[in-house]
Amino acid sequence: MPLLRHEPQGGVRSLDELLGIALALEQEAVRRYTQLAALMDRRGETETAATFRALIAEEQDHVQAVDGWAHSLGRPTPDAPAFLWRLPPELAASWEELTERTRLTPYQALSLAVVNEQRAFAFYSYIVASAPDDSVRSHAESLAREELRHAALLRRERRKAFRRERCRADRKPARADTPAELERLAVALLSATAAEHSALAARLLALGDDDGAALLTRIAAEEEALIPSGPGAAAAQAAIPDTDTACLRAAVAASERLAEAFGDVAAQATDELVLNESLRLQEAVVGHLAQLAERIDAKG
């Protein structure tokens, strides 16, 4: 799933523009994390609320830092609202989808927050690639690194939330100590999940949910494309649900199991290649979870 569907329009050519964009992005993050912290508090999810409050404090520090940065350069504090239109539309749409859900779980909130931080990183990366000025590039690189740091923090908290929500005493965490072991595990897991999603797609098509079927068909194809050495043998399929909503929820459950397995590998990894590859696979699956969540919410 691409983080940004289109490259940002109109390159950033001055520090004044970068300052305004950075301030708008930080203030928007403060606003959205404040909404999520309040929502998690209302639902009694105190650990997740505390995570978002910690991020609020960091983002507020960044707001002050941008303000101080402007003054150190002899520039006035930017008018942040005037730069909101420069932010990626995918970011705004994702925040709206995130905060308007009625069935938002801590895991879902943290998963989509990870994606949003990565979108912000991608946005700054575009700025770095297109900026004609060295000072703009260097400052944009610093901002991009901060977004990656936030994403890493959120990934750790997301994993904790997943274990709280999906704790099963009889489940043995997935493990792979070498790249070869991870490859074998990935072939088995991705093949089985792709087969399950394909079967659910066929059921949705029979139920008349063409859009849902197309989504699951695309996700299954992307899962097959992630298989290191080509498609593997598909595992036996569970019973297929009778309704379109139940099919979509079964698809979510399959993707969550897959994300959890790759998360298990990453958490125990001692090999850097294993760590990086398991995180890459997990992030791809989390992207699928975000798409499935959007589809479920669209159906009400």
Side-chain angles (χ1 to χ4, degrees):
M1 182 182 71
L3 293 170
L4 300 177
R5 294 186 180 90
H6 306 286
E7 292 192 18
Q9 297 298 311
V12 176
R13 299 185 176 277
S14 70
L15 282 176
D16 288 309
E17 287 182 89
L18 182 60
L19 283 165
I21 288 170
L23 191 60
L25 196 59
E26 302 295 349
Q27 288 185 353
E28 183 69 355
V30 168
R31 185 169 76 90
R32 298 302 191 172
Y33 284 141
T34 298
Q35 291 176 331
L36 287 170
L39 178 60
M40 292 296 108
D41 271 331
R42 288 196 298 272
R43 296 185 181 181
E45 300 289 351
T46 55
E47 288 187 50
T48 306
T51 297
F52 285 124
R53 278 195 294 272
L55 283 166
I56 291 166
E58 282 211 27
E59 299 290 3
Q60 288 173 331
D61 286 344
H62 290 174
V63 168
Q64 295 302 316
V66 172
D67 186 51
W69 177 24
H71 287 298
S72 71
L73 295 171
R75 291 166 164 83
T77 300
D79 178 19
F83 288 89
L84 282 173
W85 71 273
R86 298 288 299 271
L87 304 185
E90 295 90 350
L91 197 62
S94 184
W95 278 126
E96 290 298 333
E97 191 274 334
L98 187 62
T99 54
E100 289 180 1
R101 277 198 217 170
T102 58
R103 297 181 299 276
L104 185 69
T105 68
Y107 178 81
Q108 291 169 334
L110 290 162
S111 292
L112 290 178
V114 167
V115 174
N116 280 345
E117 293 290 349
Q118 291 180 315
R119 283 187 173 120
F121 166 77
F123 179 52
Y124 282 128
S125 297
Y126 279 125
I127 293 174
V128 171
S130 62
D133 184 87
D134 286 341
S135 61
V136 173
R137 280 196 295 273
S138 64
H139 283 96
E141 285 172 354
S142 296
L143 292 165
R145 284 193 294 271
E146 277 300 301
E147 302 302 338
L148 276 187
R149 190 174 66 81
H150 284 177
L153 168 64
L154 286 162
R155 276 196 295 267
R156 290 195 296 271
E157 295 302 319
R158 179 183 67 194
R159 179 166 177 75
K160 293 177 186 177
F162 191 96
R163 288 194 175 280
R164 288 195 298 271
E165 293 176 27
R166 302 283 175 176
C167 182
R168 292 188 290 271
D170 59 345
R171 191 187 70 83
K172 183 179 180 180
R175 186 183 184 98
D177 295 321
T178 67
E181 289 179 4
L182 176 57
E183 180 173 333
R184 288 193 292 272
L185 179 66
V187 168
L189 294 176
L190 287 164
S191 296
T193 307
E196 185 170 354
H197 283 151
S198 293
L200 290 166
R203 181 59 177 160
L204 284 173
L205 191 62
L207 291 168
D209 185 355
D210 294 350
D211 290 341
L215 173 60
L216 283 187
T217 298
R218 185 171 69 251
I219 286 174
E222 291 175 3
E223 287 164 344
E224 289 174 355
L226 289 169
I227 296 172
S229 56
Q237 295 299 308
I240 301 299
D242 292 329
T243 67
D244 52 356
T245 299
C247 283
L248 290 169
R249 294 196 181 283
V252 167
S255 289
E256 286 182 338
R257 290 192 297 270
L258 191 59
E260 181 183 18
F262 290 133
D264 284 339
V265 172
Q268 302 172 84
T270 56
D271 181 284
E272 186 175 357
L273 292 175
V274 171
L275 174 63
N276 291 336
E277 180 63 5
S278 57
L279 287 175
R280 183 185 74 85
L281 292 168
Q282 186 187 40
E283 289 306 319
V285 178
V286 168
H288 295 157
L289 281 168
Q291 295 175 66
L292 288 165
E294 290 172 2
R295 178 61 189 163
I296 290 172
D297 281 355
K299 292 184 68 64

